């Protein structure tokens, strides 16, 4: 019956290919064997023959075989006169299914899924057509191995001539094809927060191999098959034998919008008070922190993507924000809010995250039959979205160092186990950390209390120190806000009556309710990121330029570095995000002013030398103020001169000479600590110091 159906379909499919794929067949013949397959749109097949299209879903092996027979019957030959026998790769099924929804009803059916590659093996040869030689009479027997993915080769039962069953595989005459396996997990944007992403193995053959990398988002069309259990068991594993693989954009802006929602979004964008509404919609249950909430809103919108310089260099569009604060200042809550709001996001705890877990790694496991596989980390999987990293200061130095390239170049380079490759990591990072000693010391500079290397700090566009300051008025307002949130949620949760009137309850809820519904805000952000690509206007450029040049000139007069080109690019990103928040394709003066205001706020918090009152970008770049580094250099010079004159230099000698050089005695210990840490001074014996050489 199967053969009859296949034969009847072959004739109809011959007409289908002649009517729709004549040029593709000619191109295939011209470039054979470099090109050995034809991609067939399911929608075209359905239009030509709904019956065959339906049968393709239910009996894919039959229809694919009939399609390949129909193509082979066209008499295609390449430029050298060799017969062409191409494969058919169907795609564009009417509906894709979630990996978590795959079950036993889909076995041997044609399915389509979307996901992100989180592991991929090397390409390996697989026998496609095996040639055996009878070890008794030398007769050659050819056996097709199509579909034989597991276990031993499919050998002949017996020799038709001598009827014995001893054979030898003739490797020189056997035809091989490429084979590669990968593991695909559900897209993060498809998950409800708190769900664990499901994954499935994909097996690819022929020209589908060696085209994808870990971290790529793909659409897979193929046949769901069973993996035989290693032991006698009633439980089978599953995989998808890929027929067609297509890489798709890894962006979270794919949220579908109704016409009504789109009209509502455009109406919000025209509201002159849109930013006060956005700020009121970001974590409204958290009291205060309006500047931080505004910055988080801008980070969610992001800068203009796909900007390339004439020399091919790409300009980063994603913003990175760091929150460093005292315990109990709602840092983790802010991170959680952004994680839940962003349509695509990853949340990790710094103490439980490793460099490989954040970036990418090569590992050896059973998935690749003992070979090496590439596995994508959190920043790769979150590409196109947000990565929220809590307890950032608890990460090890080696683990944090793996993030440098991901944050600035937005790629991750791997060179392990003989595998050298690069992953895309276009991710906005929101990190939270505690000060070095758990709580900010009001007597010390905030930047000196950051337990994060300056080289990593400088990659953040905005750094917000959050201090727990004793202020009775503010404390009372915060207490009322938190208690009101507990009261109203308790009433709504338990249905308690008589505690508050309906009017009182409505007023209390108004203080903690977001101005924009979170789901609508998520769609607003997705719409803006998908449709709005703001460009700087001359007026905005002039405003940012003047601010930057004025700060640089101020630094020149003060003998400090007031700002750097890296911060100039941050101002541009903030301005573009501000325009996106207004649904404007032009970065106007108000957007430039908003980015400048946030930059000034951060600089006033962490970028001012308390001794001189001057702006100093070196505080972020090096962790020390320019005035302090001048003192460090003076003390180093004192020790260097003493070392030339004396074999043994004691601390008392250093203090005496330092006083003569105009240094304050109370600073000597901290300056010595910096010199020793940086390796410019060492102690051959306790209490004795020597200079390690010139800078």
């Amino acid at each position: 019956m199967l053969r009859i159906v296949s034969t009847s379909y072959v004739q109809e499919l011959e007409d289908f290919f002649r009517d729709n794929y004549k040029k593709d067949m000619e191109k295939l013949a011209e470039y054979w064997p470099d090109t050995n397959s034809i991609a067939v749109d399911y929608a075209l097949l359905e239009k030509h023959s709904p019956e065959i299209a339906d049968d393709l879903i239910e009996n894919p092996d039959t229809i694919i075989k009939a399609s390949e027979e129909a193509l082979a019957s066209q008499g295609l030959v390449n430029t050298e006169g060799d017969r062409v026998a191409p494969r058919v790769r169907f795609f564009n099924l009417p509906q894709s299914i979630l990996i978590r929804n795959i079950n036993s009803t889909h076995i041997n059916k044609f399915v389509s899924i979307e996901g992100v590659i989180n592991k991929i093996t090397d390409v390996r040869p697989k026998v496609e057509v095996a040639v055996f030689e009878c070890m008794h009479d030398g007769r050659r027997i050819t056996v097709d191995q199509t579909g034989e993915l597991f276990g031993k080769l499919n050998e002949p039962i017996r020799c038709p001539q001598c009827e014995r069953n001893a054979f030898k595989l003739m490797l020189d005459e056997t035809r091989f094809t490429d084979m590669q396996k990968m593991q695909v997990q559900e897209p993060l944007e498809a998950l409800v927060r708190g769900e664990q992403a499901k994954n499935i193995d994909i097996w690819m053959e022929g020209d589908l191999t060696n085209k994808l990398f870990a971290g790529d988002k793909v659409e897979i069309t193929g046949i769901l098959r069973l993996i035989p259990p290693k032991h006698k068991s009633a439980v089978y594993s599953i995989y998808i034998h890929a027929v067609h693989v297509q890489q798709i954009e890894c962006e979270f802006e794919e949220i579908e919008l109704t016409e009504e929602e789109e009209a509502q979004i455009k109406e919000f964008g025209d509201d002159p008070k849109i930013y006060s509404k956005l700020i009121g919609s970001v974590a409204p249950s958290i009291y205060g922190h309006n500047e931080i909430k505004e910055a988080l809103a801008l980070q969610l919108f992001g800068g203009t993507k796909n900007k390339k310089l004439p020399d091919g260099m790409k300009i980063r569009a994603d913003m990175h924000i760091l929150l460093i604060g005292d315990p109990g200042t709602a840092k983790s809550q802010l991170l959680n809010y952004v994680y839940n709001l962003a349509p695509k996001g990853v949340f990790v705890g710094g103490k439980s995250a490793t460099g490989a877990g954040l970036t990418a790694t090569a590992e050896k496991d059973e998935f690749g039959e003992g070979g090496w596989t590439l596995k994508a980390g959190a920043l790769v999987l979150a590409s196109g979205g947000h990565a929220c990293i809590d307890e950032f200061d608890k990460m090890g130095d080696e683990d944090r160092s793996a993030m440098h390239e991901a944050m600035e170049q937005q790629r991750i380079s791997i060179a392990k186990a003989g595998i050298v490759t690069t992953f895309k990591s276009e991710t906005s990072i929101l990190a939270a950390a505690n000060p070095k000693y758990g709580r900010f010391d009001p007597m010390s500079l905030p930047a000196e209390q950051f337990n994060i290397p300056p080289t990593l700090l400088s990659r953040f566009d905005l750094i917000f120190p959050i201090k727990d300051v004793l202020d009775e008025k503010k404390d009372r307002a915060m207490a009322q806000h938190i208690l009101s949130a507990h009261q109203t949620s308790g009433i709504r949760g338990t249905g308690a009556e008589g505690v508050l009137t309906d009017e009182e309850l409505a007023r209390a809820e108004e203080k903690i309710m977001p101005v924009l519904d979170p789901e609508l805000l998520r769609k607003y952000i997705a719409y803006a990121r998908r449709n709005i690509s703001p460009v700087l206007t001359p007026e905005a450029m002039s405003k940012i330029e003047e601010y930057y040049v004025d700060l640089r000139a101020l630094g020149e007069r003060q003998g400090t570095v007031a700002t750097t080109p890296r911060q100039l690019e941050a101002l541009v990103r903030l301005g573009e995000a501000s325009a996106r928040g207004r649904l404007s394709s032009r970065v106007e003066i108000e957007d430039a002013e908003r980015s400048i205001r946030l930059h000034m706020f951060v600089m006033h918090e962490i970028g001012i030398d308390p001794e001189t009152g001057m702006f100093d970008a070196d505080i972020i770049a090096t962790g020390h103020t320019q005035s302090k580094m001048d003192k460090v250099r003076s003390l180093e010079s004192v020790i260097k001169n003493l070392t030339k004159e004396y074999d043994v230099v004691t601390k008392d000698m250093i203090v005496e000479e330092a006083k003569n050089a105009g240094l304050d005695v109370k600073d000597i210990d901290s300056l010595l600590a910096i010199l020793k840490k940086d390796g410019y001074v060492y102690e051959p014996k306790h209490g004795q110091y020597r200079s390690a050489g010139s800078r």
Side-chain angles (χ1 to χ4, degrees), residues 46-47 105 354 484 683:
E46 189 176 38
K47 185 177 180 182
T105 62
T354 63
S484 179
E683 282 185 277

Side-chain angles (χ1 to χ4, degrees), residues 24-33 35 76-79 84:
D24 295 88
M25 290 191 293
E26 292 172 355
K27 187 176 179 181
L28 180 71
E30 181 181 354
Y31 292 101
W32 179 272
T35 301
L76 300 174
V77 293
N78 66 1
T79 53
V84 172

Side-chain angles (χ1 to χ4, degrees), residues 495-601:
E497 296 181 0
V499 179
L500 293 176
T501 65
D502 290 342
E503 274 187 32
E504 289 172 335
L505 181 60
R507 278 199 305 272
E509 284 185 324
E510 189 177 345
K511 296 177 183 178
I512 59 171
M513 287 290 289
V515 181
L516 301 180
D517 178 74
E519 187 59 34
L520 181 61
L521 178 56
R522 184 182 291 112
K523 292 181 177 181
Y524 184 93
I525 293 166
Y527 176 87
R529 290 180 65 116
R530 182 170 58 206
N531 298 290
I532 310 297
S533 297
V535 177
L536 286 164
T537 61
E539 296 80 11
M541 285 177 62
S542 178
K543 186 77 176 177
I544 294 174
E545 178 187 336
E546 286 303 313
Y547 173 71
Y548 175 74
V549 172
D550 287 348
L551 273 184
R552 295 284 291 183
L554 178 64
E556 185 179 5
R557 291 195 301 272
Q558 296 176 342
T560 64
V561 180
T563 189
T564 64
R566 182 173 276 174
Q567 290 166 315
L568 175 62
E569 290 192 341
L571 288 169
V572 173
R573 283 189 285 271
L574 288 165
E576 291 170 345
S578 174
R580 261 189 173 163
R582 300 185 296 106
L583 301 186
S584 171
S585 59
R586 294 163 56 88
V587 181
E588 305 286 1
I589 286 184
E590 65 175 289
D591 303 308
E593 289 175 341
R594 181 172 287 109
S595 67
I596 289 169
R597 176 169 50 78
L598 284 171
H599 184 261
M600 287 289 290
F601 177 83

Side-chain angles (χ1 to χ4, degrees), residues 282-553:
V282 175
S285 60
I286 298 172
Y287 179 79
H289 302 315
N290 284 345
E291 289 82 8
I292 296 175
K293 292 179 180 180
E294 186 173 10
L296 295 181
L298 295 181
Q299 186 188 37
L300 285 163
F301 286 106
T304 302
K305 287 185 175 290
N306 302 321
K307 290 190 293 184
K308 277 192 176 181
L309 299 175
D311 61 0
M313 291 289 290
K314 286 185 69 176
I315 301 175
R316 171 163 65 94
D318 298 294
M319 284 181 277
H320 307 314
I321 295 177
L322 176 63
L323 311 178
I324 298 186
D326 293 329
T329 50
K331 302 183 300 298
S332 297
Q333 285 178 274
L334 287 167
L335 260 66
N336 267 302
Y337 186 86
V338 171
Y339 165 65
N340 288 314
L341 182 65
K344 180 179 183 181
V346 171
F347 190 100
V348 295
K351 203 163 186 177
S352 60
T354 63
L358 282 174
T359 55
T361 186
E363 63 178 32
K364 197 171 185 178
D365 64 359
E366 294 179 0
F367 180 75
E369 290 85 24
W372 289 95
T373 62
L374 298 174
K375 190 167 186 179
L379 298 183
V380 179
L381 296 175
S383 187
H386 282 68
C388 300
I389 307 174
D390 202 3
E391 303 291 341
F392 191 62
D393 56 308
K394 304 298 188 299
M395 291 177 64
D397 291 339
E398 289 185 10
D399 297 329
R400 279 196 301 236
S401 66
M403 297 181 60
H404 285 80
E405 184 185 22
M407 291 183 70
E408 190 60 37
Q409 307 302 326
Q410 297 204 296
R411 65 171 184 258
I412 292 167
S413 301
I414 290 291
K416 291 182 180 180
I419 302 173
V420 179
T421 189
T422 302
F423 299 146
K424 185 171 70 172
S425 179
E426 296 178 357
T427 308
S428 294
I429 294 175
L430 174 61
N434 291 109
K436 188 180 295 184
Y437 303 111
R439 187 176 289 275
F440 277 118
D441 178 2
M443 305 305 294
S444 300
L445 193 66
E448 293 179 345
Q449 302 177 66
F450 296 166
N451 192 25
I452 298 168
T455 50
L456 200 57
L457 276 177
S458 64
R459 283 165 167 74
F460 286 97
D461 296 80
L462 296 172
I463 302 171
F464 291 96
I466 309 176
K467 301 173 185 175
D468 186 8
V469 181
L470 297 175
D471 182 328
E472 184 179 350
K473 184 178 179 181
K474 182 182 175 183
D475 292 343
R476 188 173 297 280
M478 182 182 292
Q480 289 175 352
H481 186 88
I482 294 171
L483 292 171
S484 179
H486 279 273
Q487 184 186 52
T488 54
S489 60
I491 292 172
R492 291 296 187 192
T494 61
E497 296 181 0
V499 179
L500 293 176
T501 65
D502 290 342
E503 274 187 32
E504 289 172 335
L505 181 60
R507 278 199 305 272
E509 284 185 324
E510 189 177 345
K511 296 177 183 178
I512 59 171
M513 287 290 289
V515 181
L516 301 180
D517 178 74
E519 187 59 34
L520 181 61
L521 178 56
R522 184 182 291 112
K523 292 181 177 181
Y524 184 93
I525 293 166
Y527 176 87
R529 290 180 65 116
R530 182 170 58 206
N531 298 290
I532 310 297
S533 297
V535 177
L536 286 164
T537 61
E539 296 80 11
M541 285 177 62
S542 178
K543 186 77 176 177
I544 294 174
E545 178 187 336
E546 286 303 313
Y547 173 71
Y548 175 74
V549 172
D550 287 348
L551 273 184
R552 295 284 291 183

Side-chain angles (χ1 to χ4, degrees), residues 99-135:
I99 294 174
R100 67 181 53 243
N101 291 336
I102 292 176
N103 54 48
S104 59
T105 62
H106 298 105
I107 296 172
N108 293 326
K109 300 292 194 296
F110 212 41
V111 296
S112 177
I113 64 164
E114 286 186 10
V116 179
I117 302 172
N118 66 0
K119 194 185 292 188
I120 192 163
T121 68
D122 294 334
V123 177
R124 296 171 180 269
K126 169 191 168 289
V127 176
E128 190 172 39
V129 178
V131 177
F132 294 92
E133 180 185 76
C134 178
M135 297 177 69

